[in-house]
């Protein structure tokens, strides 16, 4: 094969690879709304994640309780703002059949532990290293909170920062009767 034909073949291969990448990116962006987006009334997908102490938490273990499932990151200022409110309300609602689970998405244990100790958080901090649970729930942006009733159904999906009063009202809404 002469030099000209080899160069043409290489350019064609590169062009095909680039066209494939662009096509996949467009497909992924246009179909992301249809994939894994949790809505009110859906059964909450079960998951198993570890907390910062190595304990496993499975969503189905909380059946019969209301679950306040919060997705957050240490870099997220709105997340940081609502964490003290969540802590205050957790101390009031943890004995009333409501569980707060805060899922950190893809950060190191060092950053998470630093954040938890700075804010004095006592509710379970779960780590979604591979972002599998984030993707299963279709979470974007952070913070996003999923309110799950005692039967395991999604009551509400909340994106953005909440006030302490908002959090209190949401916890009250998923409290078992």
């Amino acid at each position: 094969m002469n030099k000209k034909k080899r160069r043409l073949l290489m350019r064609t291969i590169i062009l095909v690879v680039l066209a494939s990448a662009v096509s996949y990116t467009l497909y992924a962006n246009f179909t992301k709304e249809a994939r894994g987006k949790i809505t009110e009334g859906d059964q909450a997908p079960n998951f198993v994640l570890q907390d910062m102490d190595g304990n496993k938490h499975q969503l189905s273990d909380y059946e019969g309780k209301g679950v306040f499932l919060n997705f957050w990151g240490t870099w997220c200022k709105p997340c940081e703002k609502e964490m003290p409110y969540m802590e205050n309300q957790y101390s009031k609602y943890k004995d009333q059949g409501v569980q707060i689970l805060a899922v950190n998405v893809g950060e190191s244990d060092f950053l998470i532990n630093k954040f938890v100790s700075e804010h004095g958080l006592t509710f379970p901090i779960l780590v979604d290293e591979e972002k599998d649970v984030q993707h299963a729930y279709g979470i974007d942006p952070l913070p996003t909170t999923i309110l799950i009733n005692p039967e395991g159904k999604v009551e509400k999906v909340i994106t953005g920062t909440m006030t302490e009063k908002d959090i209190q009202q949401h916890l009250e809404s998923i409290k078992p009767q």
Side-chain angles (χ1 to χ4, degrees), residues 1-9:
M1 196 183 266
N2 68 23
K3 222 176 192 179
K4 240 182 187 179
K5 285 185 179 180
R6 254 196 319 244
R7 203 172 339 160
L8 178 63
L9 179 64

Side-chain angles (χ1 to χ4, degrees), residues 15-155:
L15 185 61
V16 167
V17 168
L18 286 173
S20 298
V22 167
S23 298
Y24 174 76
T25 302
L26 290 172
Y27 168 78
N29 281 327
F30 287 125
T31 62
K32 74 179 179 184
E33 290 299 316
R35 285 182 281 124
K37 194 77 169 173
I38 295 298
T39 57
E40 294 173 20
D42 289 349
Q43 186 70 30
N46 196 23
F47 61 82
V48 178
L49 290 175
Q50 283 191 352
D51 65 20
M52 298 306 295
D53 298 322
N55 301 314
K56 290 189 181 205
H57 293 262
Q58 186 167 328
L59 182 62
S60 60
D61 292 342
Y62 296 101
E63 199 170 309
K65 289 186 171 193
V67 177
F68 185 95
L69 185 62
N70 178 266
F71 291 84
W72 68 284
T74 61
W75 49 267
C76 167
K77 290 299 176 192
C79 302
E80 184 173 12
K81 184 178 179 186
E82 68 187 11
M83 284 292 177
Y85 304 149
M86 289 167 53
E87 180 62 33
N88 291 342
Q89 295 304 314
Y90 177 66
S91 63
K92 295 175 187 173
Y93 281 89
K94 67 182 178 183
D95 296 326
Q96 297 182 41
V98 178
Q99 181 64 53
I100 291 179
L101 299 174
V103 179
N104 179 277
V105 288
E107 293 187 277
S108 72
D109 286 355
F110 174 78
L111 288 173
I112 299 168
N113 280 323
K114 184 174 181 254
F115 185 94
V116 168
S117 65
E118 283 175 3
H119 294 86
L121 304 177
T122 60
F123 49 82
I125 304 293
L126 311 182
V127 183
D128 188 11
E129 287 179 31
E130 303 299 319
K131 300 183 180 182
D132 294 334
V133 178
Q134 179 186 13
H135 294 307
Y137 278 78
I139 301 300
D140 185 44
L142 297 181
T144 294
T145 301
I146 311 290
L147 301 178
I148 303 170
N149 69 24
E151 292 77 43
K153 298 256 191 230
V154 174
E155 287 287 321

